[in-house]
Amino acid sequence: QVQLVESGGGLVQPGGSLRLSCAASGSIFSITRMGWYRQPPGKQREFVATLTSSGAYRTYADSVKDRFTISRDNAKNTLFLQMNSLKPEDTAVYYCKAKMGPLESWGQGTQVTVSS
């Protein structure tokens, strides 16, 4: 079992930046892929970015490409999402997900609000 705890959300003005963190604990060795998802108000959860456990492959949603960067610090068992040039439509609860073969774990989410 893998436990995930997100942090770093908050209120930011349009054009600003935030960095989200996701600390993983438990059976970390079993993780094959980690990623970020988000759920805007009144909408379904959507994919944001994903990263393989080796860090070799990254994929991004078109809506965040060239603005967001996913990365990880294996020594600290932490996944990051650097978000730049934030827009009001980026407002959402952001969730971290870990994939362990057919199984997956989710964090509790962190709120990001982009507003002037």
Side-chain angles (χ1 to χ4, degrees):
Q1 189 75 331
V2 172
Q3 294 78 44
L4 304 171
V5 179
E6 300 99 333
S7 61
L11 173 65
V12 63
Q13 292 187 341
S17 299
L18 279 176
R19 188 174 83 153
L20 305 183
S21 299
C22 173
S25 61
S27 302
I28 305 208
F29 62 90
S30 62
I31 296 174
T32 55
R33 181 182 292 271
M34 293 186 75
W36 290 96
Y37 291 72
R38 67 187 182 186
Q39 187 164 14
K43 297 184 179 180
Q44 292 187 329
R45 195 172 297 188
E46 61 186 27
F47 166 75
V48 175
T50 188
L51 178 68
T52 56
S53 57
S54 67
Y57 298 101
R58 295 172 169 82
T59 55
Y60 296 93
D62 288 342
S63 60
V64 307
K65 204 172 293 183
D66 299 327
R67 299 188 298 122
F68 290 10
T69 302
I70 188 171
S71 63
R72 64 189 292 166
D73 183 335
N74 286 334
K76 296 182 178 180
N77 298 322
T78 302
L79 182 74
F80 300 102
L81 185 68
Q82 177 66 43
M83 306 186 294
N84 299 328
S85 302
L86 283 161
K87 305 174 181 180
E89 51 263 43
D90 294 319
T91 295
V93 178
Y94 283 72
Y95 297 91
C96 174
K97 185 179 90 167
K99 197 106 168 77
M100 297 78 63
L103 303 177
E104 57 186 40
S105 289
W106 290 87
Q108 82 290 348
T110 185
Q111 176 70 46
V112 171
T113 302
V114 185
S115 175
S116 55

